[in-house]
PDB file of all heavy atoms in Angstrom:
ATOM      1  N   LEU A  86     -79.580   3.519  15.069  1.00  0.00           N
ATOM      2  CA  LEU A  86     -79.018   4.218  16.218  1.00  0.00           C
ATOM      3  C   LEU A  86     -79.220   5.725  16.108  1.00  0.00           C
ATOM      4  O   LEU A  86     -79.422   6.401  17.114  1.00  0.00           O
ATOM      5  CB  LEU A  86     -77.530   3.893  16.366  1.00  0.00           C
ATOM      6  CG  LEU A  86     -77.193   2.445  16.730  1.00  0.00           C
ATOM      7  CD1 LEU A  86     -75.685   2.243  16.760  1.00  0.00           C
ATOM      8  CD2 LEU A  86     -77.819   2.040  18.059  1.00  0.00           C
ATOM      9  N   CYS A  87     -79.173   6.246  14.887  1.00  0.00           N
ATOM     10  CA  CYS A  87     -79.409   7.677  14.684  1.00  0.00           C
ATOM     11  C   CYS A  87     -80.864   8.056  14.965  1.00  0.00           C
ATOM     12  O   CYS A  87     -81.151   9.175  15.376  1.00  0.00           O
ATOM     13  CB  CYS A  87     -79.050   8.078  13.251  1.00  0.00           C
ATOM     14  SG  CYS A  87     -77.278   8.176  12.953  1.00  0.00           S
ATOM     15  N   ALA A  88     -81.771   7.106  14.751  1.00  0.00           N
ATOM     16  CA  ALA A  88     -83.199   7.406  14.848  1.00  0.00           C
ATOM     17  C   ALA A  88     -83.829   7.028  16.185  1.00  0.00           C
ATOM     18  O   ALA A  88     -84.941   7.461  16.480  1.00  0.00           O
ATOM     19  CB  ALA A  88     -83.942   6.687  13.720  1.00  0.00           C
ATOM     20  N   GLU A  89     -83.147   6.235  16.990  1.00  0.00           N
ATOM     21  CA  GLU A  89     -83.736   5.706  18.222  1.00  0.00           C
ATOM     22  C   GLU A  89     -83.092   6.333  19.462  1.00  0.00           C
ATOM     23  O   GLU A  89     -81.890   6.572  19.472  1.00  0.00           O
ATOM     24  CB  GLU A  89     -83.538   4.188  18.295  1.00  0.00           C
ATOM     25  CG  GLU A  89     -84.059   3.422  17.105  1.00  0.00           C
ATOM     26  CD  GLU A  89     -85.542   3.142  17.161  1.00  0.00           C
ATOM     27  OE1 GLU A  89     -86.156   3.372  18.224  1.00  0.00           O
ATOM     28  OE2 GLU A  89     -86.081   2.708  16.142  1.00  0.00           O
ATOM     29  N   PRO A  90     -83.869   6.547  20.518  1.00  0.00           N
ATOM     30  CA  PRO A  90     -83.319   7.130  21.752  1.00  0.00           C
ATOM     31  C   PRO A  90     -82.668   6.070  22.641  1.00  0.00           C
ATOM     32  O   PRO A  90     -83.102   5.806  23.748  1.00  0.00           O
ATOM     33  CB  PRO A  90     -84.551   7.744  22.418  1.00  0.00           C
ATOM     34  CG  PRO A  90     -85.670   6.856  21.984  1.00  0.00           C
ATOM     35  CD  PRO A  90     -85.324   6.408  20.581  1.00  0.00           C
ATOM     36  N   VAL A  91     -81.605   5.452  22.138  1.00  0.00           N
ATOM     37  CA  VAL A  91     -80.888   4.422  22.890  1.00  0.00           C
ATOM     38  C   VAL A  91     -79.643   5.025  23.521  1.00  0.00           C
ATOM     39  O   VAL A  91     -79.221   6.123  23.168  1.00  0.00           O
ATOM     40  CB  VAL A  91     -80.520   3.220  21.983  1.00  0.00           C
ATOM     41  CG1 VAL A  91     -81.769   2.532  21.465  1.00  0.00           C
ATOM     42  CG2 VAL A  91     -79.629   3.661  20.842  1.00  0.00           C
ATOM     43  N   SER A  92     -79.040   4.277  24.428  1.00  0.00           N
ATOM     44  CA  SER A  92     -77.837   4.738  25.121  1.00  0.00           C
ATOM     45  C   SER A  92     -76.666   3.852  24.732  1.00  0.00           C
ATOM     46  O   SER A  92     -76.722   2.631  24.887  1.00  0.00           O
ATOM     47  CB  SER A  92     -78.080   4.683  26.632  1.00  0.00           C
ATOM     48  OG  SER A  92     -76.948   5.131  27.325  1.00  0.00           O
ATOM     49  N   LEU A  93     -75.581   4.477  24.233  1.00  0.00           N
ATOM     50  CA  LEU A  93     -74.426   3.758  23.711  1.00  0.00           C
ATOM     51  C   LEU A  93     -73.142   4.185  24.389  1.00  0.00           C
ATOM     52  O   LEU A  93     -72.975   5.355  24.737  1.00  0.00           O
ATOM     53  CB  LEU A  93     -74.244   4.060  22.215  1.00  0.00           C
ATOM     54  CG  LEU A  93     -75.384   3.772  21.292  1.00  0.00           C
ATOM     55  CD1 LEU A  93     -75.115   4.404  19.944  1.00  0.00           C
ATOM     56  CD2 LEU A  93     -75.563   2.285  21.155  1.00  0.00           C
ATOM     57  N   ARG A  94     -72.234   3.239  24.493  1.00  0.00           N
ATOM     58  CA  ARG A  94     -70.870   3.507  24.935  1.00  0.00           C
ATOM     59  C   ARG A  94     -69.966   2.750  23.990  1.00  0.00           C
ATOM     60  O   ARG A  94     -70.197   1.580  23.728  1.00  0.00           O
ATOM     61  CB  ARG A  94     -70.663   3.033  26.365  1.00  0.00           C
ATOM     62  CG  ARG A  94     -71.639   3.671  27.345  1.00  0.00           C
ATOM     63  CD  ARG A  94     -71.421   3.179  28.737  1.00  0.00           C
ATOM     64  NE  ARG A  94     -70.504   4.145  29.327  1.00  0.00           N
ATOM     65  CZ  ARG A  94     -69.787   3.929  30.406  1.00  0.00           C
ATOM     66  NH1 ARG A  94     -69.843   2.770  31.021  1.00  0.00           N
ATOM     67  NH2 ARG A  94     -68.991   4.850  30.884  1.00  0.00           N
ATOM     68  N   PHE A  95     -68.941   3.413  23.462  1.00  0.00           N
ATOM     69  CA  PHE A  95     -67.997   2.770  22.553  1.00  0.00           C
ATOM     70  C   PHE A  95     -66.601   2.800  23.143  1.00  0.00           C
ATOM     71  O   PHE A  95     -66.160   3.817  23.682  1.00  0.00           O
ATOM     72  CB  PHE A  95     -67.930   3.484  21.196  1.00  0.00           C
ATOM     73  CG  PHE A  95     -69.107   3.269  20.285  1.00  0.00           C
ATOM     74  CD1 PHE A  95     -69.134   3.901  19.051  1.00  0.00           C
ATOM     75  CD2 PHE A  95     -70.183   2.461  20.626  1.00  0.00           C
ATOM     76  CE1 PHE A  95     -70.200   3.731  18.178  1.00  0.00           C
ATOM     77  CE2 PHE A  95     -71.259   2.286  19.769  1.00  0.00           C
ATOM     78  CZ  PHE A  95     -71.262   2.917  18.533  1.00  0.00           C
TER      79      PHE A  95
END
Side-chain angles (χ1 to χ4, degrees):
L86 293 177
C87 285
E89 305 278 350
V91 296
S92 181
L93 303 168
R94 303 179 93 198
F95 286 179

